[in-house]
Amino acid sequence: MQVATPLSDALGRYLDLTSEQMKLTASNMANVDTPGFKTQGFDFEQEFARQLQSGADAVDLAQAQEVDGLVARPDGNNVSMDREGMQLAKSQLQFRMGVELLKHEFSSVMSAIHAEAK
Amino acid sequence: MNLFGVMDVSASALQAERVRAEVVASNMANAETTRTADGGPYQRHHVVFEAEDGGSFQQTMANQLGGVGASSGLNGFSGGLLGSGVTAAQAVPGGVAVTGVISDASAPLRRYDPQHPDAGPDGFVDYPDINPLTEMVDLMGATRSYGMNASAVQAEKNMVGSSLDLLK
């Protein structure tokens, strides 16, 4: 018997991807004063769709690449504090959403277990 | 508009206001600059803001159907509900964009100072036509707008948070 559902599997990947993004954001923020540093990021939607389609357990991590379209400062650094702050807030909310949905998913399994015990 | 769409709109405003503040700071820093790479005194800079078109309902619908959701074969599941526009400074419908920074074409202020290395043959030096008061007012406007949009972000975070509480 299997407790994991397709939804909990998808949510697991969603949480993985979200924390990966949070890590990137933190590294961008850490390098806000590093000359020549370029903002790193990945396309969340595309990456999530790819991971869902790949199906198998072995999922390679998201490839971070330079984010284009940002204005570089004279030292070559193009980290925008506004963008990163917003990204962090978003990722936190996304993470919370994933956790809440996962909790919801497992609580229904728990109530099934308890129903049997009664 | 997806779950974080409102936050994206506020984010575009935060970035735009920061650019505005940077330009004002550069104007004030160069208030006495008499030589530039182009020759002549520094010219005051303005930012030009432009509203990003929200688009019609039909257009948005067509984009959603033909966009990420359909092409990834997920029937729109990830096509804008959960995602976040990570790959860059793309246009945010309903947001604001900085179209460009333009130079003011106003005539320079002429002050008599024959000792100055950039003085003309008549002893007058061309200074940028920059009024610190105007710049300060602009800076305060930018600061206030930034703060206002930051408060909007806070409110939007709370909204998303309380909709998450519905799951509990």
Side-chain angles (χ1 to χ4, degrees):
Chain A
M1 203 194 100
Q2 190 181 346
V3 174
T5 62
L7 183 59
S8 70
D9 180 53
L11 283 173
R13 285 158 201 242
Y14 182 70
L15 288 178
D16 277 347
L17 216 53
T18 306
S19 49
E20 188 67 23
Q21 184 157 62
M22 232 184 278
K23 218 161 70 184
L24 272 183
T25 306
S27 113
N28 286 337
M29 279 181 155
N31 284 292
V32 70
D33 283 328
T34 310
F37 181 85
K38 296 277 183 276
T39 305
Q40 302 279 310
F42 60 84
D43 191 322
F44 191 92
E45 289 175 17
Q46 236 174 38
E47 198 56 35
F48 187 48
R50 193 177 68 84
Q51 298 219 353
L52 283 184
Q53 273 170 339
S54 67
D57 294 328
V59 178
D60 47 337
L61 281 177
Q63 279 300 314
Q65 54 201 16
E66 284 180 11
V67 177
D68 44 32
L70 295 172
V71 182
R73 291 196 292 274
D75 65 352
N77 184 313
N78 72 352
V79 177
S80 153
M81 245 358 214
D82 294 315
R83 180 187 180 276
E84 301 309 322
M86 200 61 65
Q87 200 73 61
L88 194 67
K90 258 192 216 175
S91 300
Q92 276 175 331
L93 287 169
Q94 282 180 319
F95 194 84
R96 227 189 103 196
M97 178 161 72
V99 169
E100 298 285 357
L101 284 169
L102 206 55
K103 261 166 72 180
H104 204 68
E105 186 72 3
F106 284 131
S107 78
S108 61
V109 176
M110 280 308 282
S111 60
I113 292 170
H114 287 311
E116 205 168 326
K118 273 173 196 164
Chain B
M1 204 173 268
N2 63 38
L3 180 60
F4 298 106
V6 196
M7 275 173 76
D8 285 332
V9 171
S10 298
S12 74
L14 287 183
Q15 283 184 335
E17 294 300 339
R18 187 183 289 267
V19 171
R20 185 172 155 208
E22 278 170 8
V23 166
V24 171
S26 143
N27 282 342
M28 290 201 291
N30 285 291
E32 302 287 322
T33 302
T34 53
R35 50 176 90 158
T36 56
D38 309 331
Y42 175 88
Q43 290 288 339
R44 181 167 176 250
H45 285 144
H46 295 280
V47 281
V48 183
F49 285 178
E50 190 184 16
E52 296 279 14
D53 191 9
S56 66
F57 175 76
Q58 280 165 333
Q59 205 184 332
T60 315
M61 185 77 181
N63 285 346
Q64 287 289 317
L65 290 178
V68 189
S71 63
S72 63
L74 289 164
N75 297 326
F77 171 54
S78 75
L81 184 70
L82 304 173
S84 53
V86 183
T87 42
Q90 59 210 19
V92 183
V96 60
V98 179
T99 311
V101 180
I102 55 164
S103 293
D104 193 316
S106 58
L109 289 179
R110 290 171 63 74
R111 267 184 244 156
Y112 186 70
D113 185 5
Q115 305 302 317
H116 197 285
D118 289 329
D122 54 355
F124 276 93
V125 185
D126 286 349
Y127 280 98
D129 184 14
I130 291 174
N131 183 350
L133 278 180
T134 321
E135 300 302 324
M136 274 315 289
V137 169
D138 207 12
L139 183 60
M140 281 167 72
T143 316
R144 288 289 158 88
S145 303
Y146 189 93
M148 190 180 70
N149 282 294
S151 313
V153 170
Q154 202 60 49
E156 287 144 20
K157 276 166 65 183
N158 287 338
M159 278 168 71
V160 178
S162 38
S163 60
L164 285 180
D165 287 342
L166 293 176
L167 279 169
K168 283 181 180 168

